[in-house]
């Protein structure tokens, strides 16, 4: 297999377990797809109203509050993000309180005691081989002139997958968010740019910090394209493309990106990067929301789908359908399933603050 074809195969295999976040240089991860989607309803931070829904891509049916049904209790936190491990356990990254709930993806039953050690406002996680990597804001912060807080001692926490024991924490910069892995390199989106760490033998030493000279503001989220190039979102500008070997910025594309969240993802072919953006008026009321695509080869930007208020986007590796929601943080959201051509294929009522989609 050629290097190019290997990376394409690896990307597809990884997408099949909804973790478009790691590419290994010496093997391909494959997990059969069930065409199910865990829908993360973030909830209202002050009300512990988070929940998860389970959507069936074949029948179009949704089951809400499946965690409560399976376990008899609420998750009791705000769900920031999640990931699905190769064994199909879902890791739900929670704040207030800070924990990682680990559940069986199909049944939503709790698989083990929640992880809490070493977590301080966790943001994202990757499960790879015998390690779990978690980005954390940390609790220390500076207050900016604008009144916003910045968490200037953000870090990556590294855990043993079998025991869930904390191995180490390593500082990475300010406001750490999305993470991806390429070979033995961990890429972390921080305010300073894209920090690159060598994870060989749990070294976690800094290799580089990547930022295009024309780009201002913080990096937020990361994803891969079909050529195993890393893409990073910078809401001040758009997205940048990075060669994960040379660590050189190979493209900068201006495209609207949600400023607070900054989430991006990749379509099921690896040919398009997807972003979303909601425009607010002077009273901070949503006026228009859009999902955009960026062609990874030409950099061409297209508007794919529009609505009123979006707070996330996901892509099914099985069908290529795009998932978003008309979001509400005070009542149930309405999830939208959109075809690759931008046509609305279906909708379903989900939960409060629908934001992320985990495919398995």
């Amino acid at each position: 297999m050629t290097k190019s074809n290997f990376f394409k195969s690896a990307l597809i295999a990884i997408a099949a377990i909804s973790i478009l976040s790691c590419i290994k240089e010496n093997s391909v991860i494959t997990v059969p797809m069930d065409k199910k989607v865990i829908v993360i309803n973030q909830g209202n931070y002050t009300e512990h109203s988070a929940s998860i829904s389970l959507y069936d891509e074949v029948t179009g049916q949704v089951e809400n509050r499946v965690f409560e049904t399976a376990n008899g209790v609420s998750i009791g936190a705000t769900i920031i993000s999640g990931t699905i491990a190769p064994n199909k356990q879902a890791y739900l990254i929670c704040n207030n309180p800070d924990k990682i709930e680990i559940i069986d993806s199909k049944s939503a039953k709790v698989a083990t005691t929640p992880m809490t050690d070493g977590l301080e406002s966790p943001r994202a996680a990757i499960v790879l081989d015998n390690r779990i990597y978690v980005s954390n804001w940390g609790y220390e912060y500076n207050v900016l002139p604008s009144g916003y807080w910045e968490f200037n001692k953000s870090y990556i926490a590294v855990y043993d997958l079998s025991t869930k024991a904390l191995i180490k924490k390593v500082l990475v910069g300010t406001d750490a968010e999305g993470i991806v892995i390429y070979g033995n390199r961990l890429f972390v989106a921080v305010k300073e740019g894209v920090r690159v760490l060598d994870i060989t033998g749990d070294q976690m030493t800094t290799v580089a910090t990547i930022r295009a000279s024309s780009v201002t503001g913080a990096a937020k989220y990361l994803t891969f394209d079909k050529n195993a190039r890393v893409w990073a979102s910078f809401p001040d500008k758009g997205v940048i493309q990075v060669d994960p070997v040379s660590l050189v910025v190979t493209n900068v594309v201006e495209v609207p990106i949600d400023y607070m969240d900054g989430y991006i993802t990749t379509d099921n072919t690896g040919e398009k990067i997807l972003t979303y953006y909601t425009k607010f008026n002077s009273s901070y009321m949503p006026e228009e929301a859009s999902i955009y695509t960026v062609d990874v080869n030409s950099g061409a930007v297209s508007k794919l789908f529009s609505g009123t208020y979006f707070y996330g986007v996901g892509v099914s590796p099985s069908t290529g359908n795009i998932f978003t929601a008309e979001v509400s943080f005070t009542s149930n959201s309405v999830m939208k399933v959109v075809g690759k051509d931008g046509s609305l294929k279906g909708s379903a009522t989900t939960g409060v603050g629908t934001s992320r989609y985990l495919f398995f």
Side-chain angles (χ1 to χ4, degrees):
M1 181 181 292
T2 67
K3 186 175 183 180
S4 175
N5 286 336
F6 167 77
F7 284 135
K8 291 177 183 178
S9 299
L11 188 67
I12 293 168
I14 291 163
I17 53 173
S18 82
I19 314 173
L20 200 58
S21 55
C22 46
I23 289 182
K24 299 177 66 178
E25 294 180 295
N26 57 1
S27 64
V28 176
I29 302 170
T30 56
V31 174
M33 293 294 291
D34 296 324
K35 294 187 177 180
K36 306 283 189 181
V37 188
I38 292 177
V39 181
I40 292 179
N41 306 303
Q42 179 177 300
N44 187 306
Y45 189 81
T46 61
E47 297 177 356
H48 284 181
S49 53
S51 67
I52 58 173
S53 305
L54 184 63
Y55 179 77
D56 189 314
E57 290 200 81
V58 176
T59 66
Q61 299 299 306
V62 65
E63 298 176 62
N64 290 320
R65 309 196 74 85
V66 293
F67 185 94
E68 289 88 336
T69 300
N71 301 291
V73 294
S74 165
I75 200 166
T78 299
I79 310 175
I80 300 299
S81 66
T83 191
I84 295 183
N87 65 356
K88 291 193 178 181
Q89 287 184 337
Y91 286 61
L92 305 177
I93 316 304
C94 301
N95 287 185
N96 189 32
D98 296 336
K99 62 178 179 176
I100 299 178
E101 288 280 3
I102 304 172
I103 64 172
D104 176 79
S105 295
K106 289 184 179 181
S107 68
K109 285 186 175 295
V110 169
T112 186
T113 303
M115 296 171 58
T116 58
D117 189 24
L119 299 177
E120 296 180 12
S121 299
R123 308 302 296 172
I126 293 176
V127 180
L128 181 65
D129 293 333
N130 62 338
R131 291 291 181 265
I132 306 167
Y133 302 91
V134 184
S135 61
N136 290 260
W137 273 354
Y139 290 154
E140 294 190 37
Y141 62 90
N142 294 323
V143 180
L144 302 176
S146 62
Y148 285 104
W149 294 3
E150 66 172 17
F151 297 89
N152 62 326
K153 291 189 177 179
S154 291
Y155 62 90
I156 298 294
V158 184
Y159 298 86
D160 181 277
L161 177 59
S162 298
T163 66
K164 307 301 186 290
L166 176 66
I167 295 172
K168 69 191 308 182
K169 299 194 294 186
V170 57
L171 294 173
V172 291
T174 305
D175 296 343
E177 289 284 359
I179 53 179
V180 298
I181 291 175
Y182 174 93
N184 63 349
R185 290 175 170 176
L186 175 70
F187 293 72
V188 188
V190 291
K191 184 177 181 179
E192 293 79 5
V194 179
R195 196 82 82 196
V196 185
L197 307 180
D198 184 349
I199 62 175
T200 305
D202 298 325
Q203 293 179 50
M204 305 301 290
T205 53
T206 298
V207 176
T209 302
I210 305 167
R211 170 185 289 278
S213 59
S214 62
V215 174
T216 60
K220 289 288 191 177
Y221 276 91
L222 306 162
T223 190
F224 286 105
D225 65 21
K226 66 178 182 179
N227 301 310
R229 298 294 177 97
V230 176
W231 289 76
S233 67
F234 286 80
D236 277 7
K237 181 76 171 184
V239 291
I240 69 169
Q241 183 190 56
V242 177
D243 185 314
V245 177
S246 66
L247 304 181
V248 172
V249 175
T250 51
N251 201 2
V252 178
V253 180
E254 293 190 25
V255 59
I257 293 177
D258 181 83
Y259 189 80
M260 294 298 294
D261 184 33
Y263 189 75
I264 60 173
T265 190
T266 311
D267 76 352
N268 68 328
T269 66
E271 296 176 352
K272 306 281 187 183
I273 305 300
L274 281 81
T275 79
Y276 78 93
Y277 175 77
T278 298
K279 178 183 178 182
F280 295 88
N281 62 23
S282 58
S283 300
Y284 202 71
M285 295 297 293
E287 291 185 336
E288 182 184 9
S290 299
I291 292 174
Y292 296 88
T293 64
V294 177
D295 186 284
V296 302
N297 294 313
S298 68
V301 175
S302 300
K303 184 185 291 188
L304 181 70
F305 184 72
S306 295
T308 303
Y309 188 8
F310 299 157
Y311 195 63
V313 61
V315 179
S316 167
S318 298
T319 63
N321 287 336
I322 294 103
F323 287 69
T324 190
E326 289 289 357
V327 70
S328 171
F329 289 95
T330 57
S331 60
N332 289 334
S333 306
V334 179
M335 184 178 72
K336 304 290 185 178
V337 182
V338 180
K340 297 180 71 171
D341 61 356
S343 62
L344 181 64
K345 289 184 170 293
S347 62
T349 300
T350 46
V352 176
T354 301
S355 58
R356 295 287 188 270
Y357 309 89
L358 309 181
F359 301 91
F360 68 96

